[in-house]
């Protein structure tokens, strides 16, 4: 089998050389098209895949228009001036994204870029440096392959109390619900046999001490190495590289994440990785493992890849935009606001994984506990060894399947109400809230969860501000005058800090509130609260808190962003909820229980364009324009104001330290049930 394949490959190489020779001789260029080679089989080498990406030529006109609009969109980015310099050394941010983009603009206008890929990655790099999971530009053209190696890494110790843990080599072919189909056959066919190495300690990676290599990788989080920062501090970024348990797949099934070390959404920057391992038998072994790629885009030649993937949908953008708002769901704007970080795997990979689900019975990650409620992204259990302790696992705050927003909100509310009451009836007195890997979702879903736990609180969430430019001020004036409530800038969607509805736009965005941040003159709205109605009775049947603050403890791996962060921060800041944090860099002694962007809302570029069109300001010289390419671009849209440590201004800069920090061990890293029993014993005893 292997020989035949090698022979076939040698033949192909010969053919392409021959084609090159022929075309050189005849003066006609038709060497085998790199994108045809890259899309011809399910798995190809990363070299072959990347050759397709860089074969898309740089286009100066098109690129100038992209960079110009990203710079104009910065006025909507509420963290731009804050992130120039962080006042909190525990949460470093020293990035001037405007200056970075202006540099890209200069290069685009002068020397240009080697290829379209190099241009797009330069823009992505500028936003990725912010390490703000809400704000990122990703051209479809640069994200049309999924890059994979057959192993993941988990940093494991012998005991949860060890001060240091060690990177461990995990063959990832059998990870449940991770879409690894065909990967093993591919690696076996090219002579890479990793199964015997499973469980080895990783000593070095590319010649560097493994822990140092991984911490550096997490610290740099370079898009040129295929990594998106997304989380603000190094521990969650490190955890994102790692394999870890979660339930964040399409159907909410339990899984073991491949982690960003083993799977990248962008070209990993090298075609192989060399690791020195100490096998479980004690032998030392050095292996070089090539990256493999699978094509997720459309097109089978460079020309069709450009038209069907890179430029796809450009013509219909305006039409799509008009439809977006009204066709999603009937729920009002307030309920559709989102704070969510992009999922770990690209959509086609997630959906492929969702289609070939590993049934719960055969899933080693799945807890074997009595369920007191399951709804899409929410699971409620009673522990077996600590029957006075219940578990509420919030896997995320939005459905990844086709559950509609309203059905989702009702389901979360009903499941919490029935589940927590049933737990109490079964003698449960304490609750573990697991939020490991929760990347956020609907702000309203987080609010329903908060209001269910504290129904007597006036308002479940944090005050917020929008950034306010002259253009935004004019958008808000049009929204106020129209009174139709199609715009997020409609003052009547918000309440003042006494939770009274705003009466006019002068209480909100016009006039702006000037602020000097990091030496830059900036402006924001007045502080406001989202309008979730007057009473929790609209969203929950709880009238008194089912448990007290001291009865809860979070189980976290630091990956908790956006709505998850707002939810967890609120429980911590208002009700003193404690936390048990697992993992992080091998020798970290302290972590946040939430490590992701805490800014309270994300907006998409299409929404920004939609709002401008709505206000009749889309041709204003200050307005960003539709991209001439297909790209996903999202922006952190407003800042949350904390209840504690207000001296640093925004929730982003409050370091929310764990109560206790533990290592993942060989025994429990892929078994949440064991983690929960351990935490129950640690925090609540018997
Ligand atoms: C470059 O992009 C512009 C603007 O999108 C387009 O009109 C032009 O045809 C492109 N040029 C080439 C050579 O593809
Ligand atoms: C980008 O470069 C173009 C061409 O040099 C220039 O006209 C434009 O002002 C620049 N835009 C920004 C925001 O720097
Ligand atoms: C690409 O796909 C088209 C349509 O399916 C087909 O006609 C064409 O032969 C394919 N080209 C290559 C190079 O595979
Ligand atoms: C699940 O737990 C029950 C009750 O403790 C036990 O009988 C059963 O064997 C367990 N199943 C698995 C797959 O571990
Ligand atoms: C806006 O409403 C507030 C509260 O009712 C009121 O005090 C204020 O005068 C109003 N401002 C304008 C400009 O109407
Ligand atoms: C409260 O309970 C009633 C009846 O049991 C149910 O119809 C209603 O939907 C519940 N309300 C909420 C907000 O869950």
């Amino acid at each position: 089998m292997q020989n035949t394949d090698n022979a076939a490959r040698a033949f192909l190489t010969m053919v392409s050389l021959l084609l090159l020779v022929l075309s050189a001789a005849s003066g006609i260029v038709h060497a085998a098209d790199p994108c045809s080679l890259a899309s011809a089989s399910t798995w190809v080498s990363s070299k072959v895949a990347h050759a397709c990406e860089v074969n898309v030529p740089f286009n100066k006109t098109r690129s100038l228009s992209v960079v110009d609009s990203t710079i104009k969109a910065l006025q909507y980015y509420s963290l731009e001036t804050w992130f120039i310099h962080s006042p909190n050394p525990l949460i470093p941010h020293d990035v001037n994204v405007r200056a970075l983009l202006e540099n890209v603009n200069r290069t685009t206008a002068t020397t240009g870029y080697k290829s379209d890929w190099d241009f797009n990655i330069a823009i992505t790099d500028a936003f990725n440096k912010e390490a703000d999971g809400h704000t990122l530009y990703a051209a479809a053209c640069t994200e049309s392959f999924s890059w994979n190696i057959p192993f993941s890494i988990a940093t494991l110790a012998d005991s949860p109390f060890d001060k240091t843990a060690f990177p461990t080599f995990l063959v990832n072919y059998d990870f449940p619900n991770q879409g690894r189909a065909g990967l093993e056959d591919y690696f076996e066919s090219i002579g890479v046999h990793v199964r015997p190495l499973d469980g080895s300690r990783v000593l070095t990676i590319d010649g560097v001490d493994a822990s140092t290599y991984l911490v550096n990788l997490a610290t740099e989080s370079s898009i040129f190495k295929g990594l998106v920062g997304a989380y603000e501090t190094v521990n969650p970024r490190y955890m994102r590289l790692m394999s870890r348990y979660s339930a964040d797949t399409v159907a909410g099934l339990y899984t073991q994440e491949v982690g960003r070390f083993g799977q990248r959404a962008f070209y990993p920057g090298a075609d192989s990785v060399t690791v020195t391992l100490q096998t479980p038998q004690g032998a030392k072994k050095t292996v070089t493992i090539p990256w493999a790629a699978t094509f997720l885009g459309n097109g089978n030649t460079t020309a069709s890849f450009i038209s069907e993937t890179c430029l796809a949908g450009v013509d219909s953008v305006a039409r799509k935009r008009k439809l977006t708002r009204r066709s999603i769901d009937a729920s009002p704007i307030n309920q559709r606001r989102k704070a969510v970080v992009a999922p770990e795997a690209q959509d086609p990979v997630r959906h492929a994984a969702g289609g070939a689900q590993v049934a719960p019975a055969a899933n080693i990650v799945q807890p074997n506990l009595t369920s007191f409620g399951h709804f899409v992204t929410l699971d409620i259990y009673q522990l077996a060894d600590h029957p006075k302790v219940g578990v509420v696992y919030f896997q995320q705050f939005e459905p990844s399947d086709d559950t509609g927003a309203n059905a989702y909100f009702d389901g979360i509310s009903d499941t919490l109400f029935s589940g927590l009451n049933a737990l109490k009836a079964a003698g449960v007195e304490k609750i573990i809230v697991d939020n490991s890997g929760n990347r956020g979702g609907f702000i309203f879903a987080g609010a329903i969860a908060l209001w269910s736990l504290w129904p007597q609180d006036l308002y479940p969430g944090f005050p917020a501000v929008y950034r306010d430019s002259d253009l935004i001020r004019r958008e808000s004036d049009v929204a106020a005058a129209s009174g139709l409530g199609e715009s997020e800038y409609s003052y009547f969607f918000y309440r003042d800090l006494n939770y009274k509805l705003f009466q006019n736009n002068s209480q909100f965005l016009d006039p702006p509130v000037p602020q000097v941040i990091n030496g830059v003159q900036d402006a924001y709205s007045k502080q406001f609260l989202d309008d979730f109605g007057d009473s929790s009775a609209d969203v929950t049947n709880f009238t008194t808190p089912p448990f007290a603050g001291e009865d809860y403890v979070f189980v976290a791996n630091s990956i908790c962003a956006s709505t998850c962060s707002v939810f967890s921060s609120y429980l911590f800041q208002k009700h003193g909820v404690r936390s048990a944090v697992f993992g992080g860099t091998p020798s970290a002694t302290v972590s946040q229980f939430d490590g992701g962007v805490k800014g309270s809302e994300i907006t998409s570029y299409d929404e920004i364009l939609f709002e401008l069109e709505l206000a009749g300001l889309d041709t204003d010289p200050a307005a960003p324009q539709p991209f001439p390419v297909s790209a996903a671009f999202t922006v952190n849209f407003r800042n949350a104001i904390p209840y504690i440590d207000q001296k640093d201004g925004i929730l982003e800069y409050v370091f929310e330290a764990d109560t206790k920090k533990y290592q993942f061990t060989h025994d429990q890293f892929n078994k949440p049930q064991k983690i929960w029993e351990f935490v129950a014993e640690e925090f609540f005893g018997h």
Side-chain angles (χ1 to χ4, degrees), residues 73 75 84 100 463:
Q75 62 192 309
I84 292 172
L100 293 174

Side-chain angles (χ1 to χ4, degrees), residues 586-618:
S587 52
T589 52
V590 66
S591 286
Q592 296 192 88
F593 55 82
D594 55 349
V597 52
K598 302 169 189 169
S600 63
E601 193 183 353
I602 187 169
T603 193
S604 71
Y605 191 63
D606 281 354
E607 281 288 304
I608 291 175
L609 299 178
F610 172 84
E611 287 272 357
L612 283 162
E613 205 174 281
L614 201 62
L617 291 166
D618 48 322

Side-chain angles (χ1 to χ4, degrees), residues 413-414 417 536-541:
S413 173
D414 292 347
F417 186 73
S536 60
D538 295 338
V539 300
T540 177
N541 274 335

